[in-house]
Amino acid sequence: EGQCTECHDPHQSPNRYQLRNSGSELCFQCHDQAMVADTFVHGPAAVGSCSTCHDIHQSEFPKMLIAEGNELCFGCHTEKADALRQKKFTHDPVREACVNCHDPHSGPGRYQLSADGRSELCFGCHADKPEEIASAAVKHGGLDTEKQCLACHDPHVSDYPKQLTRQPMALCLSCHDREYEKDAGTVANMKVLLANNAMHHGPVDQQDCSSCHNAHGSENFRMLREFFPPLFYAGYSANNYRLCFMCHEQTLADEETTTTLTGFRNGEQNLHFVHVNKLTRGRTCRACHDVHATNNPRHIRDAVPYARWDLPVGLDTTETGGSCMPGCHQQFAYDREQPVMNR
């Protein structure tokens, strides 16, 4: 507007370039000083160095900035620029503009964030998560740590989907490398369990704990994505096995006879049906299988917790069948080709 004398005294001044005031005090003759008055102040703004980011006379960019958008930030925050180039996944707000989350002058949260960056800021965009987390009957302890969301997610860049800080199962095992005592019982040391057992369940073998567990919390025991009975016995209903039937065919428990659904059969007699499909005392999957890992084929347990007793399963296999003599009944044998007449 040609108003050079708004900033410069044309005759004399104690300041360089005959400026009417020094540093940011000159800027605040026009601009509101409240922009740098919040709890956390950006370094250049804190020391009154507005010209670190703004050109005081002219610019190619809005707000008289000396560079455009994120490139301005990367002029100082070079490690973030390097990370963006090197990592596979960039958080959308970061890709769009650093100022989506950070105020370049000052803010109420650490790093000039507009809110607490551990979770409150996240919920500004991820609006479904507060209710999901608050309403979960079984909550993930990780969300109660000091880091909250940042215990698992990097808000800028990552080599893993969902901005996870590590490969998903490695991330889970970074905490699940010890036992936890919960109201619903002891949560096993999963790192040791998986190391000591060679036969891993499919999702575990694929290193994807989230196939079965919701890391933010769930309505179900152990944060499972669908219902799975936590008991040894349960009356059969397909709804009781919604978790298993996400991958396994429901007909495995519905069909009394088969030659294709399972190898656990005596001739055509489906022995999964025999064990599971009962009105009151059906054996749940956990009665024979460990859902994470064992040293036996088909994830068969050596023993299963039954009240205060580790009930032995007693499995012995052959090429066409096998036998078992658990603590709950006499020895029974089965053979797919030559059906066994059990007593």
Side-chain angles (χ1 to χ4, degrees):
E1 296 176 349
Q3 300 294 320
C4 303
T5 57
E6 289 295 315
C7 298
H8 301 274
D9 189 302
H11 297 109
Q12 60 184 1
S13 169
N15 304 304
R16 194 180 184 190
Y17 308 123
Q18 286 104 266
L19 292 173
R20 292 191 179 277
N21 221 323
S22 62
S24 60
E25 292 305 313
L26 179 68
C27 304
F28 295 140
Q29 289 181 173
C30 297
H31 299 281
D32 189 353
Q33 194 164 3
M35 70 172 65
V36 295
D38 221 324
T39 307
F40 295 89
V41 184
H42 193 197
V47 296
S49 184
C50 303
S51 60
T52 298
C53 299
H54 301 275
D55 191 299
I56 55 177
H57 290 112
Q58 61 188 2
S59 172
E60 296 290 338
F61 310 109
K63 309 293 185 185
M64 308 291 289
L65 294 172
I66 62 173
E68 187 172 22
N70 287 359
E71 291 307 312
L72 176 64
C73 306
F74 296 154
C76 292
H77 298 283
T78 55
E79 78 289 355
K80 295 300 181 190
D82 291 340
L84 256 69
R85 285 192 292 269
Q86 295 165 5
K87 299 291 185 178
K88 294 179 181 178
F89 299 94
T90 302
H91 196 194
D92 285 344
V94 176
R95 184 184 292 106
E96 292 168 3
C98 302
V99 294
N100 282 332
C101 298
H102 301 274
D103 189 297
H105 298 108
S106 68
R110 193 180 181 194
Y111 308 119
Q112 297 90 248
L113 295 171
S114 58
D116 189 325
R118 297 172 302 166
S119 62
E120 186 182 352
L121 182 70
C122 308
F123 297 155
C125 292
H126 300 282
D128 58 318
K129 292 304 175 189
E131 183 177 354
E132 178 186 342
I133 292 167
S135 64
V138 183
K139 301 182 186 299
H140 191 189
L143 289 167
D144 291 330
T145 65
E146 174 65 21
K147 290 185 174 182
Q148 299 178 34
C149 300
L150 303 185
C152 298
H153 301 278
D154 188 297
H156 295 108
V157 293
S158 173
D159 277 329
Y160 307 103
K162 309 296 186 186
Q163 304 300 130
L164 294 175
T165 58
R166 304 188 198 186
Q167 187 279 333
M169 192 164 85
L171 181 62
C172 299
L173 294 180
S174 68
C175 289
H176 290 278
D177 58 354
R178 70 211 80 170
E179 287 189 350
Y180 293 95
E181 292 298 330
K182 300 291 184 181
D183 292 341
T186 301
V187 178
N189 183 329
M190 293 306 306
K191 190 169 186 177
V192 168
L193 188 150
L194 297 181
N196 291 343
N197 290 275
M199 308 296 287
H200 292 177
H201 190 199
V204 176
D205 199 43
Q206 294 167 5
Q207 301 190 2
D208 185 11
C209 305
S210 65
S211 289
C212 298
H213 302 277
N214 185 334
H216 293 112
S218 167
E219 292 299 308
N220 303 306
F221 174 78
R222 295 287 189 254
M223 302 192 313
L224 294 172
R225 290 195 174 275
E226 294 288 355
F227 183 76
F228 179 72
L231 306 172
F232 188 92
Y233 291 118
Y236 178 68
S237 160
N239 281 335
N240 269 350
Y241 298 93
R242 291 197 306 271
L243 182 76
C244 303
F245 293 154
M246 285 166 55
C247 297
H248 297 281
E249 292 289 342
Q250 180 179 327
T251 47
L252 188 70
D254 287 343
E255 301 291 335
E256 191 168 358
T257 60
T258 183
T259 58
T260 58
L261 289 174
T262 177
F264 186 42
R265 63 180 194 272
N266 193 26
E268 295 185 1
Q269 184 185 30
N270 179 358
L271 298 179
H272 280 108
F273 178 91
V274 169
H275 285 78
V276 175
N277 202 316
K278 297 179 181 296
L279 288 175
T280 56
R281 288 170 66 84
R283 278 73 167 175
T284 60
C285 302
R286 71 175 59 252
C288 298
H289 302 279
D290 189 290
V291 294
H292 292 107
T294 70
N295 282 318
N296 301 313
R298 305 297 183 187
H299 320 301
I300 300 296
R301 295 173 177 268
D302 289 322
V304 60
Y306 183 80
R308 293 186 297 274
W309 176 33
D310 277 348
L311 186 154
V313 173
L315 176 71
D316 187 21
T317 60
T318 67
E319 281 191 22
T320 57
S323 65
C324 57
M325 187 171 61
C328 54
H329 62 64
Q330 67 188 51
Q331 186 173 35
F332 286 126
Y334 64 98
D335 193 286
R336 292 180 286 276
E337 296 179 2
Q338 300 294 325
V340 179
M341 296 298 294
N342 288 292
R343 180 166 60 84

PDB file of all heavy atoms in Angstrom, residues 214-230:
ATOM      1  N   ASN A 214      -9.662 -57.076  18.577  1.00  0.00           N
ATOM      2  CA  ASN A 214      -9.781 -55.656  18.273  1.00  0.00           C
ATOM      3  C   ASN A 214      -8.907 -54.895  19.270  1.00  0.00           C
ATOM      4  O   ASN A 214      -9.183 -54.890  20.471  1.00  0.00           O
ATOM      5  CB  ASN A 214     -11.235 -55.192  18.390  1.00  0.00           C
ATOM      6  CG  ASN A 214     -11.425 -53.752  17.958  1.00  0.00           C
ATOM      7  OD1 ASN A 214     -10.505 -52.951  18.028  1.00  0.00           O
ATOM      8  ND2 ASN A 214     -12.620 -53.423  17.507  1.00  0.00           N
ATOM      9  N   ALA A 215      -7.874 -54.259  18.773  1.00  0.00           N
ATOM     10  CA  ALA A 215      -6.899 -53.626  19.665  1.00  0.00           C
ATOM     11  C   ALA A 215      -7.439 -52.411  20.406  1.00  0.00           C
ATOM     12  O   ALA A 215      -6.802 -51.916  21.335  1.00  0.00           O
ATOM     13  CB  ALA A 215      -5.658 -53.231  18.860  1.00  0.00           C
ATOM     14  N   HIS A 216      -8.609 -51.905  20.011  1.00  0.00           N
ATOM     15  CA  HIS A 216      -9.174 -50.745  20.698  1.00  0.00           C
ATOM     16  C   HIS A 216     -10.155 -51.151  21.797  1.00  0.00           C
ATOM     17  O   HIS A 216     -10.524 -50.332  22.631  1.00  0.00           O
ATOM     18  CB  HIS A 216      -9.874 -49.816  19.702  1.00  0.00           C
ATOM     19  CG  HIS A 216      -8.923 -49.166  18.754  1.00  0.00           C
ATOM     20  ND1 HIS A 216      -8.891 -49.455  17.421  1.00  0.00           N
ATOM     21  CD2 HIS A 216      -7.930 -48.250  18.966  1.00  0.00           C
ATOM     22  CE1 HIS A 216      -7.942 -48.733  16.832  1.00  0.00           C
ATOM     23  NE2 HIS A 216      -7.335 -48.005  17.741  1.00  0.00           N
ATOM     24  N   GLY A 217     -10.559 -52.415  21.811  1.00  0.00           N
ATOM     25  CA  GLY A 217     -11.509 -52.880  22.814  1.00  0.00           C
ATOM     26  C   GLY A 217     -12.665 -53.591  22.146  1.00  0.00           C
ATOM     27  O   GLY A 217     -12.868 -53.492  20.942  1.00  0.00           O
ATOM     28  N   SER A 218     -13.421 -54.332  22.941  1.00  0.00           N
ATOM     29  CA  SER A 218     -14.466 -55.166  22.366  1.00  0.00           C
ATOM     30  C   SER A 218     -15.532 -55.461  23.410  1.00  0.00           C
ATOM     31  O   SER A 218     -15.317 -55.300  24.615  1.00  0.00           O
ATOM     32  CB  SER A 218     -13.836 -56.475  21.867  1.00  0.00           C
ATOM     33  OG  SER A 218     -14.803 -57.444  21.577  1.00  0.00           O
ATOM     34  N   GLU A 219     -16.672 -55.938  22.922  1.00  0.00           N
ATOM     35  CA  GLU A 219     -17.724 -56.424  23.811  1.00  0.00           C
ATOM     36  C   GLU A 219     -17.422 -57.827  24.312  1.00  0.00           C
ATOM     37  O   GLU A 219     -18.089 -58.331  25.218  1.00  0.00           O
ATOM     38  CB  GLU A 219     -19.066 -56.435  23.061  1.00  0.00           C
ATOM     39  CG  GLU A 219     -19.604 -55.050  22.718  1.00  0.00           C
ATOM     40  CD  GLU A 219     -19.843 -54.228  23.983  1.00  0.00           C
ATOM     41  OE1 GLU A 219     -20.533 -54.719  24.891  1.00  0.00           O
ATOM     42  OE2 GLU A 219     -19.306 -53.106  24.052  1.00  0.00           O
ATOM     43  N   ASN A 220     -16.427 -58.476  23.728  1.00  0.00           N
ATOM     44  CA  ASN A 220     -16.195 -59.895  23.969  1.00  0.00           C
ATOM     45  C   ASN A 220     -14.944 -60.154  24.796  1.00  0.00           C
ATOM     46  O   ASN A 220     -13.999 -59.360  24.798  1.00  0.00           O
ATOM     47  CB  ASN A 220     -16.082 -60.632  22.625  1.00  0.00           C
ATOM     48  CG  ASN A 220     -17.302 -60.434  21.758  1.00  0.00           C
ATOM     49  OD1 ASN A 220     -18.421 -60.689  22.175  1.00  0.00           O
ATOM     50  ND2 ASN A 220     -17.101 -59.946  20.538  1.00  0.00           N
ATOM     51  N   PHE A 221     -14.958 -61.274  25.475  1.00  0.00           N
ATOM     52  CA  PHE A 221     -13.825 -61.812  26.222  1.00  0.00           C
ATOM     53  C   PHE A 221     -12.539 -61.667  25.413  1.00  0.00           C
ATOM     54  O   PHE A 221     -12.508 -61.946  24.216  1.00  0.00           O
ATOM     55  CB  PHE A 221     -14.166 -63.284  26.501  1.00  0.00           C
ATOM     56  CG  PHE A 221     -13.088 -64.101  27.139  1.00  0.00           C
ATOM     57  CD1 PHE A 221     -12.832 -63.987  28.489  1.00  0.00           C
ATOM     58  CD2 PHE A 221     -12.385 -65.036  26.394  1.00  0.00           C
ATOM     59  CE1 PHE A 221     -11.865 -64.783  29.091  1.00  0.00           C
ATOM     60  CE2 PHE A 221     -11.424 -65.833  26.983  1.00  0.00           C
ATOM     61  CZ  PHE A 221     -11.157 -65.707  28.332  1.00  0.00           C
ATOM     62  N   ARG A 222     -11.474 -61.197  26.065  1.00  0.00           N
ATOM     63  CA  ARG A 222     -10.148 -61.056  25.460  1.00  0.00           C
ATOM     64  C   ARG A 222     -10.149 -60.142  24.225  1.00  0.00           C
ATOM     65  O   ARG A 222      -9.367 -60.318  23.314  1.00  0.00           O
ATOM     66  CB  ARG A 222      -9.572 -62.426  25.080  1.00  0.00           C
ATOM     67  CG  ARG A 222      -9.299 -63.343  26.261  1.00  0.00           C
ATOM     68  CD  ARG A 222      -8.080 -62.873  27.059  1.00  0.00           C
ATOM     69  NE  ARG A 222      -7.688 -63.853  28.049  1.00  0.00           N
ATOM     70  CZ  ARG A 222      -7.893 -63.727  29.354  1.00  0.00           C
ATOM     71  NH1 ARG A 222      -8.526 -62.651  29.828  1.00  0.00           N
ATOM     72  NH2 ARG A 222      -7.476 -64.648  30.193  1.00  0.00           N
ATOM     73  N   MET A 223     -11.078 -59.216  24.182  1.00  0.00           N
ATOM     74  CA  MET A 223     -11.155 -58.256  23.075  1.00  0.00           C
ATOM     75  C   MET A 223     -11.337 -58.944  21.723  1.00  0.00           C
ATOM     76  O   MET A 223     -10.867 -58.462  20.689  1.00  0.00           O
ATOM     77  CB  MET A 223      -9.911 -57.360  23.036  1.00  0.00           C
ATOM     78  CG  MET A 223      -9.688 -56.587  24.312  1.00  0.00           C
ATOM     79  SD  MET A 223      -8.443 -55.282  24.169  1.00  0.00           S
ATOM     80  CE  MET A 223      -7.101 -56.118  23.349  1.00  0.00           C
ATOM     81  N   LEU A 224     -12.020 -60.077  21.716  1.00  0.00           N
ATOM     82  CA  LEU A 224     -12.243 -60.795  20.465  1.00  0.00           C
ATOM     83  C   LEU A 224     -13.228 -60.031  19.582  1.00  0.00           C
ATOM     84  O   LEU A 224     -14.142 -59.364  20.076  1.00  0.00           O
ATOM     85  CB  LEU A 224     -12.763 -62.199  20.758  1.00  0.00           C
ATOM     86  CG  LEU A 224     -11.750 -63.110  21.463  1.00  0.00           C
ATOM     87  CD1 LEU A 224     -12.412 -64.403  21.895  1.00  0.00           C
ATOM     88  CD2 LEU A 224     -10.549 -63.398  20.565  1.00  0.00           C
ATOM     89  N   ARG A 225     -13.051 -60.161  18.282  1.00  0.00           N
ATOM     90  CA  ARG A 225     -13.898 -59.423  17.338  1.00  0.00           C
ATOM     91  C   ARG A 225     -15.324 -59.963  17.309  1.00  0.00           C
ATOM     92  O   ARG A 225     -16.261 -59.221  17.011  1.00  0.00           O
ATOM     93  CB  ARG A 225     -13.293 -59.476  15.932  1.00  0.00           C
ATOM     94  CG  ARG A 225     -12.021 -58.667  15.812  1.00  0.00           C
ATOM     95  CD  ARG A 225     -11.649 -58.432  14.367  1.00  0.00           C
ATOM     96  NE  ARG A 225     -10.492 -57.540  14.282  1.00  0.00           N
ATOM     97  CZ  ARG A 225     -10.563 -56.228  14.304  1.00  0.00           C
ATOM     98  NH1 ARG A 225     -11.745 -55.630  14.409  1.00  0.00           N
ATOM     99  NH2 ARG A 225      -9.476 -55.483  14.212  1.00  0.00           N
ATOM    100  N   GLU A 226     -15.477 -61.240  17.581  1.00  0.00           N
ATOM    101  CA  GLU A 226     -16.801 -61.854  17.636  1.00  0.00           C
ATOM    102  C   GLU A 226     -16.862 -62.746  18.871  1.00  0.00           C
ATOM    103  O   GLU A 226     -15.843 -63.052  19.485  1.00  0.00           O
ATOM    104  CB  GLU A 226     -17.088 -62.677  16.372  1.00  0.00           C
ATOM    105  CG  GLU A 226     -17.190 -61.874  15.091  1.00  0.00           C
ATOM    106  CD  GLU A 226     -18.466 -61.043  15.010  1.00  0.00           C
ATOM    107  OE1 GLU A 226     -19.321 -61.165  15.915  1.00  0.00           O
ATOM    108  OE2 GLU A 226     -18.601 -60.276  14.039  1.00  0.00           O
ATOM    109  N   PHE A 227     -18.068 -63.184  19.212  1.00  0.00           N
ATOM    110  CA  PHE A 227     -18.238 -63.972  20.431  1.00  0.00           C
ATOM    111  C   PHE A 227     -17.580 -65.344  20.296  1.00  0.00           C
ATOM    112  O   PHE A 227     -17.618 -65.984  19.250  1.00  0.00           O
ATOM    113  CB  PHE A 227     -19.720 -64.157  20.735  1.00  0.00           C
ATOM    114  CG  PHE A 227     -19.960 -64.909  22.024  1.00  0.00           C
ATOM    115  CD1 PHE A 227     -19.786 -64.288  23.239  1.00  0.00           C
ATOM    116  CD2 PHE A 227     -20.321 -66.250  22.002  1.00  0.00           C
ATOM    117  CE1 PHE A 227     -19.976 -64.975  24.428  1.00  0.00           C
ATOM    118  CE2 PHE A 227     -20.518 -66.946  23.181  1.00  0.00           C
ATOM    119  CZ  PHE A 227     -20.339 -66.304  24.400  1.00  0.00           C
ATOM    120  N   PHE A 228     -16.950 -65.781  21.379  1.00  0.00           N
ATOM    121  CA  PHE A 228     -16.384 -67.125  21.484  1.00  0.00           C
ATOM    122  C   PHE A 228     -16.520 -67.537  22.947  1.00  0.00           C
ATOM    123  O   PHE A 228     -16.083 -66.799  23.835  1.00  0.00           O
ATOM    124  CB  PHE A 228     -14.917 -67.122  21.071  1.00  0.00           C
ATOM    125  CG  PHE A 228     -14.253 -68.469  21.177  1.00  0.00           C
ATOM    126  CD1 PHE A 228     -14.569 -69.477  20.283  1.00  0.00           C
ATOM    127  CD2 PHE A 228     -13.306 -68.730  22.153  1.00  0.00           C
ATOM    128  CE1 PHE A 228     -13.963 -70.721  20.371  1.00  0.00           C
ATOM    129  CE2 PHE A 228     -12.689 -69.967  22.253  1.00  0.00           C
ATOM    130  CZ  PHE A 228     -13.018 -70.967  21.349  1.00  0.00           C
ATOM    131  N   PRO A 229     -17.142 -68.667  23.226  1.00  0.00           N
ATOM    132  CA  PRO A 229     -17.412 -69.010  24.633  1.00  0.00           C
ATOM    133  C   PRO A 229     -16.127 -69.216  25.430  1.00  0.00           C
ATOM    134  O   PRO A 229     -15.245 -69.966  24.999  1.00  0.00           O
ATOM    135  CB  PRO A 229     -18.224 -70.313  24.531  1.00  0.00           C
ATOM    136  CG  PRO A 229     -17.961 -70.845  23.171  1.00  0.00           C
ATOM    137  CD  PRO A 229     -17.666 -69.683  22.297  1.00  0.00           C
ATOM    138  N   PRO A 230     -16.023 -68.595  26.588  1.00  0.00           N
ATOM    139  CA  PRO A 230     -14.816 -68.734  27.407  1.00  0.00           C
ATOM    140  C   PRO A 230     -14.824 -69.992  28.267  1.00  0.00           C
ATOM    141  O   PRO A 230     -13.932 -70.181  29.089  1.00  0.00           O
ATOM    142  CB  PRO A 230     -14.851 -67.474  28.274  1.00  0.00           C
ATOM    143  CG  PRO A 230     -16.302 -67.176  28.427  1.00  0.00           C
ATOM    144  CD  PRO A 230     -16.953 -67.584  27.136  1.00  0.00           C
TER     145      PRO A 230
END
